[in-house]
Amino acid sequence: MITLEMMPPLMFGGLILAMLIGFPVAFTLAALGLSFGFLSIYLGFFDMNFLQAIPGRIFGSVLSNELLLAIPFFTFMGSVLERCGLAEDMLDSMGQLFGPVRGGLGYSVIIVGFILGAITGTVAAQVIAMALISMPVMLRYGYNVRYITGVLAASGTITQLVPPSLVLIVMADQLGKSVGDMYLGAWGPSVLQIALFAGYTFFLGLFLPHHVPPVPKEARTLTGWPLWRKCLMGIIPSAVLIFVVLGTMMLGLATPTEAGAMGAIGAIVLAAIHHKELSSKGHKMLLIGIVATGVGAIVGVLLGEGKLFKLTFAVVYLAVIWLCLEAVRIPDLRDLIKQGYQSTMRLSTMVVFILIGSTCFSVVFLGVSGGVWLEHHLTSLPGGVWGFLIFINLFIFFLAFFLDFFEIAFIILPMVAPIAQKVLTPVVGADAALIWFGVMLCVNMQTSFLHPPFGFALFYLRGVAPKEVKSSDIYWGALPWIGLQAIMVAIVIAFPVTVTALLDKPLDVDLSKVKIVVPEIELPPPLDFGPQKQ
């Protein structure tokens, strides 16, 4: 006879088994949830009315969740930017800038990966684009094959951690925290991770210089101001887009959805001004828009948001509309936008189906006291807080062999978030506990793209790498970078300040000493209307 105490481990074991079989996760979750739900009704653990919570939660908190609208916007922005030629120019200019240094091409891949991560938020096309551009060049100049595959895969996956990462948006939603706070918490680890990658390349240049040789002088075609100009032409528009997306969100000027919408329009504008077929009128409108933005910013600071301020930004909007129409006019960009729509639709549909399936599973799991069972086991681990963190990170690391980040975030996070809040609050405080936890798991889940044999970044590399690059080189090349990401997880666990340093500190207020003084109001005398006339 199946008892109530047996149901949570049976559901959890069934979930792990179904994932190992490889059946689509969204349908697996829904099937498991409904199957165990009907079994629980049959065994009398709850009645049929309890399952009404499933459609209620799907329509009440999943399909009506405005935060999830940011996902298609950021996906579309990434799809456009990764195919518009921006990456090619940035990699070429950065490669020539760092070319004289040992490992210079590696540094350029790491830096461009970081910049693209901050303006795209997706992994697949970024890895493919950088591999198509940089791998032939690095092979030509004698770089070690395993270093090439490793640095390309790892620099593509850094986009999971660098804001405006889609993973961080999903994390914020599932943990019930602000997206802006999640982004602020992720900046420290993302910069540290870039430093780790660059440090590994530096030491490789010291101890194994033949693995990362400098680019020969005759191959460096640009020097001086033309080289710096090409670098700035890639960096400055990217920096503007980063501010439009992240700056407005962190300053409280826009919600994540609004920032994502601005990013999607900004990506189209960036693709248009980067295209060689942009008309002379388009160039003029670009200059007018830049000047109007500068004038509007000065007017806003000195005179406030009056009529002149609104007029200047009306000119900016007109320039943006003109450049978007230019993008529609150019056939290449029109096809690019269409491909962006298609990839956005596929990803958004996948996310919604996973959310529906995970809702079915989690409602039934909580109905059979799964939350109590999970909390009992996780809070009784040896080592207290650190034992809990080590176990959770090892568990996520194992799951990442079989699941992608969306599936982990939607399945595991809702189960462990309440426990993490309770366990981690004594260490960093109630406000920062889940931010620290979410960023830590985000660093961990980067490895899901690099794990042999199922790492998606490795599959992408295999699909675009030339025949002389063996699959074994791709897998072995990923291992040192997985180790660097594991070191980063350990740093985030050991030093929570890497996440919490930029967060707003909670106000230190003793509520017992707060006094609310209500001033006495002297009421006017009642009005005398005189004797009533008969």
Side-chain angles (χ1 to χ4, degrees):
M1 180 67 179
I2 299 176
T3 62
L4 181 62
E5 291 74 17
M6 297 169 61
M7 291 294 284
L10 283 175
M11 287 190 71
F12 206 74
L15 176 63
I16 299 296
L17 179 62
M19 288 188 295
L20 291 174
I21 292 172
F23 196 72
V25 173
F27 305 116
T28 298
L29 288 169
L32 279 172
L34 293 176
S35 300
F36 277 94
F38 290 126
L39 178 61
S40 298
I41 292 170
Y42 174 75
L43 296 174
F45 299 143
F46 50 72
D47 59 20
M48 182 67 77
N49 292 328
F50 181 80
L51 294 185
Q52 291 178 356
I54 295 176
R57 187 175 293 185
I58 289 172
F59 289 101
S61 60
V62 175
L63 299 182
S64 63
N65 188 346
E66 292 186 3
L67 179 59
L68 295 179
L69 283 175
I71 292 177
F73 286 129
F74 283 115
T75 304
F76 177 79
M77 182 177 74
S79 298
V80 171
L81 289 174
E82 287 161 352
R83 297 183 177 95
C84 72
L86 183 67
E88 288 91 329
D89 284 355
M90 290 179 68
L91 283 168
D92 179 50
S93 58
M94 289 287 181
Q96 298 207 41
L97 184 64
F98 290 99
V101 184
R102 286 177 184 167
L105 293 179
Y107 293 132
S108 68
V109 167
I110 293 168
I111 292 171
V112 172
F114 178 75
I115 295 173
L116 288 178
I119 61 174
T120 60
T122 53
V123 174
Q126 182 171 325
V127 173
I128 293 170
M130 292 202 302
L132 285 171
I133 301 158
S134 296
M135 187 178 285
V137 178
M138 297 174 86
L139 288 171
R140 187 187 315 143
Y141 296 127
Y143 273 64
N144 179 269
V145 175
R146 292 183 180 179
Y147 173 80
I148 295 171
T149 57
V151 74
L152 286 170
S155 299
T157 59
I158 187 65
T159 191
Q160 280 212 122
L161 182 59
V162 180
S165 162
L166 290 179
V167 185
L168 293 173
I169 295 174
V170 173
M171 288 273 192
D173 175 65
Q174 294 300 302
L175 295 174
K177 305 302 288 185
S178 152
V179 175
D181 284 345
M182 196 66 74
Y183 282 173
L184 286 173
W187 275 117
S190 59
V191 172
L192 281 175
Q193 183 130 317
I194 290 298
L196 273 179
F197 289 174
Y200 174 72
T201 302
F202 175 75
F203 283 108
L204 206 60
L206 288 180
F207 297 106
L208 295 170
H210 59 284
H211 280 200
V212 285
V215 177
K217 188 175 181 179
E218 59 272 12
R220 302 196 296 271
T221 57
L222 286 177
T223 55
W225 171 244
L227 175 57
W228 282 102
R229 181 178 177 275
K230 190 171 183 180
C231 290
L232 292 175
M233 287 298 291
I235 293 173
I236 291 176
S238 303
V240 171
L241 187 59
I242 290 169
F243 174 76
V244 166
V245 175
L246 295 179
T248 55
M249 203 185 316
M250 292 179 179
L251 291 173
L253 302 175
T255 65
T257 303
E258 291 166 346
M262 288 191 291
I265 296 297
I268 296 174
V269 170
L270 204 58
I273 64 178
H274 194 266
H275 201 277
K276 59 185 178 182
E277 293 184 22
L278 181 66
S279 68
S280 58
K281 290 183 180 179
H283 284 101
K284 291 176 183 177
M285 291 301 296
L286 173 62
L287 292 174
I288 292 171
I290 293 172
V291 172
T293 303
V295 172
I298 295 170
V299 169
V301 171
L302 298 179
L303 303 177
E305 298 182 7
K307 291 183 178 179
L308 185 59
F309 176 83
K310 294 177 180 178
L311 179 63
T312 55
F313 273 90
V315 175
V316 175
Y317 297 150
L318 181 63
V320 168
I321 293 170
W322 186 281
L323 290 169
C324 288
L325 292 174
E326 286 272 343
V328 175
R329 179 188 63 80
I330 300 170
D332 290 346
L333 293 183
R334 193 163 57 244
D335 292 340
L336 187 73
I337 293 170
K338 181 181 177 182
Q339 292 170 14
Y341 287 148
Q342 291 171 343
S343 60
T344 300
M345 180 60 73
R346 284 194 295 269
L347 181 71
S348 302
T349 305
M350 180 195 77
V351 168
V352 169
F353 271 99
I354 293 175
L355 268 171
I356 292 172
S358 64
T359 301
C360 293
F361 182 86
S362 62
V363 166
V364 176
F365 187 74
L366 294 174
V368 294
S369 302
V372 177
W373 173 80
L374 203 58
E375 181 176 352
H376 170 72
H377 283 81
L378 291 180
T379 54
S380 60
L381 289 168
V385 174
W386 312 114
F388 167 78
L389 289 177
I390 291 170
F391 173 80
I392 286 293
N393 277 283
L394 289 175
F395 180 60
I396 295 295
F397 184 81
F398 170 76
L399 283 183
F401 276 88
F402 311 102
L403 301 179
D404 68 17
F405 64 85
F406 278 122
E407 294 159 350
I408 293 173
F410 291 141
I411 300 169
I412 305 301
L413 269 189
M415 297 182 190
V416 300
I419 306 167
Q421 177 75 52
K422 181 178 179 181
V423 172
L424 303 182
T425 293
V427 181
V428 293
D431 293 333
L434 289 181
I435 300 293
W436 179 36
F437 184 66
V439 172
M440 183 193 309
L441 294 191
C442 188
V443 177
N444 192 333
M445 283 194 289
Q446 287 180 108
T447 59
S448 67
F449 282 88
L450 296 178
H451 284 150
F454 299 116
F456 289 109
L458 307 183
F459 290 157
Y460 304 147
L461 277 180
R462 179 65 280 170
V464 299
K467 292 181 180 179
E468 60 265 27
V469 177
K470 300 176 183 177
S471 295
S472 59
D473 290 329
I474 294 176
Y475 290 135
W476 282 108
L479 293 182
W481 303 89
I482 294 175
L484 292 173
Q485 290 175 339
I487 291 171
M488 193 64 238
V489 174
I491 291 173
V492 173
I493 292 175
F495 303 101
V497 70
T498 56
V499 174
T500 61
L502 296 178
L503 298 178
D504 292 333
K505 300 294 184 291
L507 296 175
D508 188 10
V509 179
D510 186 354
L511 296 178
S512 63
K513 296 181 180 179
V514 174
K515 293 182 180 180
I516 301 175
V517 179
V518 180
E520 294 184 5
I521 302 174
E522 193 172 322
L523 297 176
L527 297 175
D528 185 7
F529 293 101
Q532 296 284 334
K533 291 185 177 181
Q534 298 297 328

